[in-house]
Amino acid sequence: MYRVLYRKYRPRYFADVIGQPQVTDTLKNELRNDRIAHAYLFTGSRGTGKTTCSKILAKAVNCLSPENGDPCGRCEICRGIDDGSVLDVVEIDAASNNGVDDIRTLREEAAFTPANAKYRVYIIDEVHMLSIGAFNALLKTLEEPPEHVVFILATTEVHKLPATILSRCQRFDFHRISPKDIADRLKYVCQCENTEIDDNAALLLAGIADGAMRDALSLLDQCMGKGDRITETIVRQTAGLADKSHLIAITDAIIKKDSAAAVEIVDQLYSQSKEMLRLCDELTAHFRELMLIKSVKKPRDIIVMSDEDYSKANDQALALPMREVVAVIDSLQRAAEKMTRGANRRIEMEMTLVHLCTSVSPGSIDPAIEGRVAALERAVSALKRTPASVNTQTSNAPAPPVMVNKPSADKMEELRKNAVPFKEWPEVIEEIRKTSKTIAAGFDGSRAFLSGKYLLIDSQREICYELLRKSSQRDSVRNAVKMITGNDYKLGRYSYPDEVKSDDALTGLITDLKAAGVSVDEKR
Ligand SMILES: Nc1ncnc2c1ncn2[C@@H]1O[C@H](COP(=O)(O)OP(=O)(O)OP(=O)(O)O)[C@@H](O)[C@H]1O
Ligand SMILES: [Mg+2]
Ligand SMILES: [Zn+2]
């Protein structure tokens, strides 16, 4: 018969209980000195050893030959408690026996002296589930407990207990177990089960379990079904974890301020049915880890990651100033909040990333980019000063083309010459907004011109051209244009400032122009 691991490896001695010395050392010490309380309260998060320690304690107070505070496990009482033949240890699940009558019965029984053992022990698990009436009935017994009775109350939700109960118990708080302790225990269990487990797999498992040994063992159980050797990959697959590479890639995009790349990764994940809120949470967790790497003395000990991921995360942490890390966490948390309140999750995720990629805080900006931005600004103001040369129909006349970087000489020149302002452009942007706020936001403040088969976009913000790098985004712009004008247009750039001529943000547009037979001088 197969027994699930967490039952099979339930510690039978305090010495085997890991990560709770504040409980086990104290209890052993009291037991050695024969100082036994009448009521114990075990609280703390799930799967950390409360029920386990209740059972050990029930045996320890009754064992015929206790060893250093631990039950011997071999005497007739220990064995009798294990196999249920000693009836003096009673386990009550308060979730299903929570009424006044249940506790009254218990009180009547408790008055009798134990049959075999020294103490009658009542383990009341999930004690927070008792009704008010049951609590009151229990309180009466706790106030004047018979000499031979020990109560052990266990709960994850101590705040639900009345203060009157709390004040009558000796309280023990069980802590979340550290990843390292969990990993060591997992390795021990694997050894007993003749299964190999990689160090980083054990650590990853421990991290997922988030302090709960039961969860760690349940997951280990599932992993064991998949092969003789447990690797990080098996753990990831079993736990349904996406690997971290996408988080690392998005973070790289944020560091490089490459919004197109960030949006592209999100689109890919979206098409793989990745839940956007989950992605947002994972990314927040990743930045929290970067924050820890930056602020904690020995971050490697507390961060659960493979060595490979860790070294990348470490580089990223170095590349970002603390206040940016904090700002990103802040933005992501706000995005998650909006998502839970019903905002379109994909749009929210995209907008947040575009925002994070475009908002460059002064001081943290790469001097090379700074130079480029300054040059761009000069080019733009030159563009504004040049007198109009196109046939404009509105008083809000567009600036004429400036040959900062003329990609293909004559043809491009001709296109610009024939360009007329495209007055419906704001409507197109609104049309785009219906399907993607992110893309639409990229075009805010831009203008457009029509010239033959071309629609030439003019924007002071590079983000606008970066968005067009991706064909699906170009398509959504083209579709919107078609909706409004009824015609298909090829998209082009109205002007090419020198400073960005080699930027691959332009590659897509250059390709478009080439496809249309415009010869593009890429060397320039
Ligand atoms: N501190 C620990 N040391 C070793 N194993 C542990 C520890 N805590 C939990 N376990 C493992 O997890 C299983 C479940 O633990 P236990 O039932 O004691 O948790 P609990 O704290 O009572 O959780 P819950 O609040 O969910 O009832 C045990 O059978 C054991 O295998
Ligand atoms: Mg329990
Ligand atoms: Zn014993």
Side-chain angles (χ1 to χ4, degrees), residues 86-392:
V86 168
L87 299 173
D88 298 318
V89 172
V90 184
E91 288 180 44
I92 298 161
D93 178 10
S96 41
N97 309 285
N98 59 1
V100 194
D101 293 343
D102 295 307
I103 300 299
R104 287 218 180 104
T105 318
L106 181 154
R107 278 176 58 195
E108 282 159 22
E109 252 180 47
F112 295 102
T113 49
N116 314 87
K118 201 161 148 200
Y119 292 96
R120 262 181 187 280
V121 182
Y122 291 96
I123 301 174
I124 309 182
D125 220 340
E126 313 295 339
V127 66
H128 63 274
M129 303 287 279
L130 290 183
S131 67
I132 306 242
F135 271 129
N136 287 332
L138 179 63
L139 192 61
K140 289 223 179 74
T141 325
L142 289 181
E143 274 166 350
E144 287 168 45
E147 258 319 293
H148 57 267
V149 169
V150 173
F151 283 100
I152 306 171
L153 315 180
T155 181
T156 45
E157 292 170 66
V158 70
H159 56 277
K160 291 190 179 160
L161 300 191
T164 43
I165 298 272
L166 291 179
S167 66
R168 313 233 159 238
C169 299
Q170 190 184 357
R171 172 171 167 173
F172 289 91
D173 288 310
F174 285 66
H175 300 161
R176 279 206 167 79
I177 305 168
S178 77
K180 169 135 194 344
D181 284 347
I182 294 188
D184 286 346
R185 176 82 175 168
L186 292 174
K187 284 190 229 165
Y188 165 79
V189 169
C190 283
Q191 211 178 343
C192 301
E193 294 287 314
N194 280 321
T195 302
E196 267 188 81
I197 182 164
D198 292 354
D199 280 354
N200 51 7
L203 217 54
L204 179 62
L205 250 163
I208 297 166
D210 193 24
M213 194 66 216
R214 188 199 296 106
D215 295 8
L217 288 171
S218 299
L219 190 54
L220 181 68
D221 230 334
Q222 294 170 38
C223 291
M224 279 189 174
K226 309 212 166 154
D228 308 336
R229 176 160 154 245
I230 298 170
T231 61
E232 213 182 310
T233 318
I234 291 187
V235 175
R236 280 185 198 288
Q237 283 166 355
T238 312
L241 266 194
D243 71 327
K244 267 198 177 287
S245 56
H246 61 292
L247 300 177
I248 290 175
I250 294 176
T251 307
D252 275 339
I254 294 176
I255 292 172
K256 291 188 199 133
K257 308 286 173 202
D258 184 350
S259 55
V263 170
E264 195 158 333
I265 299 165
V266 170
D267 283 0
Q268 266 165 25
L269 293 167
Y270 186 81
S271 62
Q272 294 158 13
S273 317
K274 177 86 185 175
E275 220 292 299
M276 291 291 118
L277 180 57
R278 175 115 184 257
L279 175 66
C280 190
D281 287 343
E282 285 174 7
L283 199 57
T284 311
H286 183 67
F287 272 87
R288 179 183 161 268
E289 277 164 344
L290 299 187
M291 186 173 77
L292 289 179
I293 293 177
K294 290 187 85 69
S295 54
V296 173
K297 270 218 185 87
K298 284 185 177 173
R300 189 69 190 103
D301 293 350
I302 49 168
I303 291 177
V304 186
M305 260 189 219
S306 67
D307 286 342
E308 195 188 327
D309 285 349
Y310 186 82
S311 99
K312 286 182 196 150
N314 195 44
D315 291 345
Q316 296 185 329
L318 288 177
L320 286 166
M322 186 57 123
R323 83 192 128 75
E324 277 201 21
V325 175
V326 173
V328 171
I329 294 176
D330 192 50
S331 300
L332 289 170
Q333 279 178 337
R334 268 183 284 137
E337 210 178 289
K338 285 192 208 154
M339 288 183 195
T340 46
R341 281 206 311 261
N344 180 311
R345 295 183 172 186
R346 181 185 186 180
I347 293 175
E348 196 55 49
M349 192 70 225
E350 289 176 342
M351 282 207 310
T352 305
L353 290 178
V354 169
H355 168 76
L356 289 174
C357 289
T358 44
S359 64
V360 191
S361 46
S364 66
I365 176 168
D366 181 335
I369 299 177
E370 211 156 21
R372 220 180 88 168
V373 169
L376 248 169
E377 278 167 358
R378 279 196 301 279
V380 166
S381 60
L383 186 113
K384 282 185 179 147
R385 270 185 266 109
T386 319
S389 70
V390 279
N391 180 19
T392 60

Side-chain angles (χ1 to χ4, degrees), residues 5-11 16-20 44-53 125-126 154-156 174-175 177 185 212-215 217:
L5 289 179
Y6 76 80
R7 280 189 202 285
K8 188 165 171 190
Y9 291 90
R10 188 190 276 287
D16 295 339
V17 174
I18 57 160
Q20 311 293 0
S45 62
R46 46 196 274 277
T48 50
K50 297 181 297 297
T51 303
T52 304
C53 285
D125 220 340
E126 313 295 339
T155 181
T156 45
F174 285 66
H175 300 161
I177 305 168
R185 176 82 175 168
M213 194 66 216
R214 188 199 296 106
D215 295 8
L217 288 171

Side-chain angles (χ1 to χ4, degrees), residues 422-468:
F422 176 38
K423 282 183 290 175
E424 284 80 22
W425 182 234
E427 280 174 53
V428 172
I429 297 178
E430 286 320 303
E431 188 61 36
I432 298 170
R433 209 180 304 278
K434 287 182 196 160
T435 48
S436 170
K437 283 189 193 168
T438 317
I439 303 180
F443 291 103
D444 280 343
S446 65
R447 292 171 303 187
F449 303 87
L450 294 179
S451 178
K453 280 190 277 176
Y454 281 87
L455 189 148
L456 305 173
I457 299 168
D458 182 29
S459 170
Q460 301 189 13
R461 296 158 65 216
E462 275 308 298
I463 169 78
C464 152
Y465 304 114
E466 270 176 51
L467 284 167
L468 291 173

